[in-house]
Structures are given as C-alpha cells and as structure tokens.
Amino acid sequence: MDYLPMFARLEGRPVLLVGGGEVALRKARLLLAAGARLTLVSPEIDPDFHEFAGRFTHVAARFDPAHLAGQILVVAATDSLEDNALVYQSANQLGLFVNVVDDPERSSFIFPSIIDRSPIMVAVSSGGKAPVLVRLLRERLESLLPRHLGGLAELSGRVRRRAKQVLASLSDRRRFWERAFASNTLAGLIEKADWQGAERWLNEGLDKAQTEVGEVVLVGAGPGDPGLLTLKALQQIQQAEVVLYDQLVSPEILDLVRRDATLVSVGKKAGAHSVPQEETNRLLVEYARAGNRVVRLKGGDPFMFGRGGEELEVLAEEGIPFSVVPGITAAAGATAYAGIPLTHRDHAQSAVFITGHCQQGGQKDGKEPDWQQLAATNQTLVIYMGLMRSEHIQQQLVSHGRSSATPIAIIERGTTARQRVLTGTLDELAELAAQAVSPSLIVIGEVVALRKQLAWFGEQGGEQAKTEASRHELKLVSLA
C-alpha cells in the first residue's frame, strides 16, 4: 500500500495553498468545500478566485518558509519547479503533510478522485500512476451510486440514536440497517423524496425489530467456477449473517462470503454424510428463529438432487420466511466446460438427469429407475453421484439395449481449475469410474464424441488415457 487512505476533518483548521493559477483554484474549491481556514500565497491570483472573496486570506508574495507557521497541511500548485521544491523541502523539515500537484515524488499526501454524496464520500486513487484510469473508474462509480445516497445517510443519522436505544446489541442493529437498506419499500419512498414517510417507516421497523423472525435464502452456488454465480446469488451470500454450506461448494465461492458471517459446514460427500439432514433442518430453523439472515448454500442448483425442497418444507411448517435463488446445475455447467453439448440435432433430441443414489427394491429413498427408458438411443443421460454404482449402471444400460460402444465421459470437479475429463465407451464405464474422484458427473450418449472438436477449457481436445494411473491437473487456457 503506497498511501493510507483516510478522510481528514479540515473544518476551521489552517491550510496553506501556494499558487494562484487555474490548478490552485481547483484545489482551493476542494479545501474551502471542506471548511478549511485557507491562506493563499501568490504574487497574483486568477480572477475567478473572487468568487470566494472573504473566505480565504491572500498573501501577495512569493513563498517563504515562514508562511508555514501554524499550518497543518500544505499544497503547492505553482508553475515553478523551484518554488514547488522549496515548499516540499520546507514542509518536510517541519513534519507537515504536503502535496505538490502532479508530482507524487514530492507529495506526502495526494488528492484522490472524489464522488461526493455528502455525507457519503467515495475516493479513488492510483497513487498518481494512472490518473486517466482513475477518472474512468470515478465516472463508472458516479453512474452506479444514486443521487439520494447522501439523503439516505442523513436520514439514518436521525434514526441512529433511537436504534441504539431500542436494539441493545450491535448485531441486532446491523441486521436492522441491512434489511432496511435492502428494502424496496424504503427505496420507493426515497425515490419520491418522501423523507418524512421514510423516517416513519424506519421507526415503525424498529418497533417490530425485536420480535422479527429471520429468513432463509436457498442459494444455488453453481458447479464450482465463481464466475458462474448469478448476480443475485452473489448479493445474497454477501448479505448473509449465517451460511450453511455443502462440501460441493468450492473454496473460491466461500471466499466471497462476507468476512463476519458465521460459516457452518453441513456438507455431504459420497459415502460420508458428515451432518444428518435432520440436523441441517434444525440448524436452519434455529438460526432463523434467532433473527438471522440465513443462506443455505448448495452446489449446482438447490432443486436438482439437492434436497432443497425437503428443507423448504421444514421451514414452511415452522413458519420461517424463505426464498430461492436458482443456480447453474452441474449437468449444464460441467458439460459445457467439457465441450459436450447436452442436446444436438444429429445425436440427441433429449437429455435425462438422474441420480446414482437410486436404491434397489423400492426403498423410500428412491426406486430403481426405468432402465428400459434410460437405455433409449438419441438421448443424453447425465448421472449425478454415480461413481459408486457405475458397474451396476453399466450392466443395466447394456442389458436393456444401449450399445456398449456408446461414448461416455466422466467429468471430475467440472468448471474448476482442477477439472479433468475421462472419456471412453459404455463397456469401460466401471473401469474409468475406478480412476475418478468425487465430485464427478457421468455423461452417456453420442454427444460425448463431439468433445474432440468442441473442447475449449483445459487441454484443447485432449483425451485422457483410459488406463492412465496418474492424474494430471489440466493446464488452463486464459479466460481473461
């Protein structure tokens, strides 16, 4: 960090500005807007300085180190390198913060590019290295920050004292403000400039805040690549106070969760259920009843073999408010990154998604699927969590008429930097599955053969040797 960003309170404090031209005028506007008690040293001054007549002291002379007496901040904005250097050296000797305009090497502080939504202030700086880039960033931020932001901050200041009285804990106050600022009702009142109505709405919200139940948002995290998160999913995990997440959620996505949120792993792996579903349900209810904004974060899409529906049924029975943010399911994400289209006019007119966790004998947790239908040609079969039952799947499909030469792929850790794709034919499924690691997706169908032409992520068109003992990490192409 080249500079420590901070905001200085200059109201009524002595500041020296050396220079009287157009550049000095721009700095004078900023300093006077901040309430500085400004002294201007320059033999002559730009006529436009007269708009500030009576608001600064003009010393009609060249700079002398004696002018620094009693000042706390110094700005040099002359067109004389000699004068600017003298200002810098003299201020440095006295331990004063000094800025020489357009000369970072002779500046102990710099003026950032400012977006003013007083009392909200946003400052952007490159340390003097890329001023044009900073200007472009400021323009982008200007378009994103609403004009009423300052008014909203003023309104919050008026209600803040009462919020401290009504809500004793810091976490309760934080939760109240986060919900208020995210409310469409408050936004609508402010858009209409109904500040009295907005203040009334906030105070009414405070009266209800102590008895409010929290809420649960069921969020699909996608197949692994954080770039595949939806915008709404990102917003939800950054607003959450508690996040219950599965093992399939990638570390890169968990890094996007706000730093002060409580993270609770309720993950399940193939053959290792670390947290029973009943315990996950209990935690969701418990955290929500405590008034928290809870995100239940699931890999892929929460309604695609994710038991999301079961968890929402529990919340509905308990009267807990909930909502759902869908995610890109692994079948869509992993196959796309592997260069395997799910459907194709010449090869597959439909795609079928099933889970490998089917149970034989009609058990409650899932009946044996209709293998006759799944073995049909001209369709793509995508199997979630199928590694452990790959031999059974292989036998059933072949015995029900699917050709043993049908192309297949096993996609490990799809869409991530560790993605690996094993390809072969249906009669080799069990052999390939023994080489694969979880999480993996099994894809069966003629469309798999298109990978030779369409692979774009990782080894370009590279087929993994079917009997390869070692597992090589794929070298990623740049996606920038």
Side-chain angles (χ1 to χ4, degrees):
M1 185 187 297
D2 294 332
Y3 292 88
L4 175 68
M6 60 182 181
F7 293 91
R9 187 173 184 85
L10 297 182
E11 182 71 36
R13 309 194 72 182
V15 176
L16 183 70
L17 174 61
V18 181
E22 183 180 345
V23 175
L25 179 62
R26 291 202 303 268
K27 301 304 179 187
R29 286 196 176 101
L30 278 175
L31 295 168
L32 290 172
R37 182 154 52 87
L38 186 64
T39 298
L40 177 66
V41 175
S42 178
E44 298 178 351
I45 60 174
D46 190 289
D48 288 340
F49 270 100
H50 294 304
E51 67 179 280
F52 303 117
R55 296 179 56 191
F56 67 94
T57 300
H58 177 211
V59 178
R62 289 189 66 179
F63 171 75
D64 185 281
H67 293 137
L68 296 173
Q71 306 296 324
I72 66 162
L73 205 68
V74 185
V75 179
T78 77
D79 55 7
S80 167
L81 294 177
E82 181 182 346
D83 287 350
N84 286 345
L86 179 60
V87 173
Y88 172 71
Q89 293 166 3
S90 303
N92 248 357
Q93 289 173 1
L94 295 175
L96 296 176
F97 278 106
V98 57
N99 172 266
V100 177
V101 177
D102 291 332
D103 192 350
E105 296 300 320
R106 288 191 174 89
S107 297
S108 54
F109 81 93
I110 54 177
F111 286 93
S113 188
I114 297 171
I115 300 103
D116 187 354
R117 300 287 189 273
S118 294
I120 300 293
M121 302 290 290
V122 180
V124 185
S125 172
S126 66
K129 295 180 176 64
V132 174
L133 177 59
V134 167
R135 178 176 58 80
L136 293 173
L137 286 172
R138 183 185 61 78
E139 291 172 357
R140 179 69 61 87
L141 290 170
E142 282 274 12
S143 66
L144 293 175
L145 298 177
R147 291 287 167 185
H148 63 248
L149 203 57
L152 178 59
E154 294 284 2
L155 170 63
S156 303
R158 294 196 296 272
V159 179
R160 187 164 179 254
R161 179 175 295 179
R162 182 164 183 263
K164 283 187 174 181
Q165 294 170 345
V166 174
L167 302 174
S169 77
L170 179 63
S171 61
D172 286 343
R173 293 197 296 273
R174 183 188 63 198
R175 187 180 305 122
F176 166 75
W177 286 115
E178 286 177 347
R179 291 178 180 176
F181 293 147
S183 168
N184 290 329
T185 302
L186 181 62
L189 291 169
I190 291 174
E191 285 292 337
K192 295 185 291 186
D194 185 0
W195 296 104
Q196 288 184 342
E199 186 167 351
R200 185 166 55 251
W201 184 85
L202 284 173
N203 282 309
E204 290 172 354
L206 277 174
D207 295 334
K208 301 175 185 176
Q210 290 180 307
T211 59
E212 277 187 350
V213 174
E215 63 177 328
V216 176
V217 186
L218 185 60
V219 176
D225 181 354
L228 296 180
L229 276 175
T230 65
L231 178 58
K232 192 167 186 179
L234 179 61
Q235 291 170 340
Q236 292 298 333
I237 66 175
Q238 291 184 337
Q239 293 172 6
E241 294 160 312
V242 179
V243 176
L244 278 67
Y245 65 95
D246 284 346
Q247 290 288 345
L248 293 179
V249 179
S250 69
E252 293 82 5
I253 289 175
L254 290 177
D255 284 343
L256 298 174
V257 176
R258 57 188 263 184
R259 293 290 179 255
D260 60 342
T262 299
L263 283 168
V264 182
S265 172
V266 291
K268 300 175 179 64
K269 294 182 179 179
H273 291 254
S274 57
V275 178
Q277 185 62 49
E278 294 73 17
E279 175 65 7
T280 299
N281 296 343
R282 186 191 68 79
L283 289 171
L284 286 171
V285 173
E286 180 180 300
Y287 279 116
R289 286 213 181 283
N292 292 291
R293 186 180 182 89
V294 183
V295 160
R296 176 67 173 100
L297 192 60
K298 290 176 172 286
D301 180 88
F303 281 178
M304 184 66 75
F305 305 122
R307 304 186 76 169
E310 298 172 41
E311 293 174 358
L312 294 189
E313 285 180 305
V314 172
L315 296 174
E317 291 170 2
E318 296 290 335
I320 305 294
F322 61 82
S323 58
V324 181
V325 179
I328 294 176
T329 186
T335 55
Y337 273 51
I340 302 172
L342 287 172
T343 63
H344 189 282
R345 185 171 58 179
D346 298 329
H347 304 293
Q349 287 72 54
S350 63
V352 179
F353 304 160
I354 67 168
T355 173
H357 282 180
C358 47
Q359 308 243 347
Q360 299 186 52
Q363 297 296 320
K364 181 180 178 182
D365 288 339
K367 297 180 180 180
E368 190 74 6
D370 184 345
W371 290 110
Q372 190 68 46
Q373 184 180 26
L374 295 179
T377 57
N378 298 320
Q379 73 176 7
T380 304
L381 182 60
V382 181
I383 305 173
Y384 289 71
M385 301 169 285
L387 291 183
M388 295 179 65
R389 301 199 70 216
S390 59
E391 185 174 359
H392 177 71
I393 292 168
Q394 175 184 322
Q395 292 172 350
Q396 290 296 323
L397 289 174
V398 172
S399 66
H400 284 83
R402 195 76 193 243
S403 169
S404 61
T406 302
I408 65 111
I410 299 178
I411 308 170
E412 293 179 358
R413 303 185 182 101
T415 78
T416 73
R418 297 175 295 166
Q419 174 176 299
R420 186 172 75 127
V421 183
L422 304 173
T423 59
T425 55
L426 182 55
D427 62 351
E428 299 168 310
L429 175 58
E431 177 187 352
L432 289 174
Q435 301 176 35
V437 297
S438 184
S440 288
L441 196 73
I442 299 173
V443 186
I444 300 172
E446 285 70 21
V447 291
V448 173
L450 296 172
R451 172 173 159 75
K452 293 180 180 178
Q453 298 172 270
L454 305 182
W456 60 273
F457 183 77
E459 294 180 357
Q460 295 295 310
E463 296 293 315
Q464 296 287 343
K466 294 185 287 291
T467 60
E468 182 182 13
S470 62
R471 298 185 179 97
H472 297 291
E473 298 286 343
L474 292 182
K475 295 180 180 179
L476 299 183
V477 295
S478 172
L479 301 180

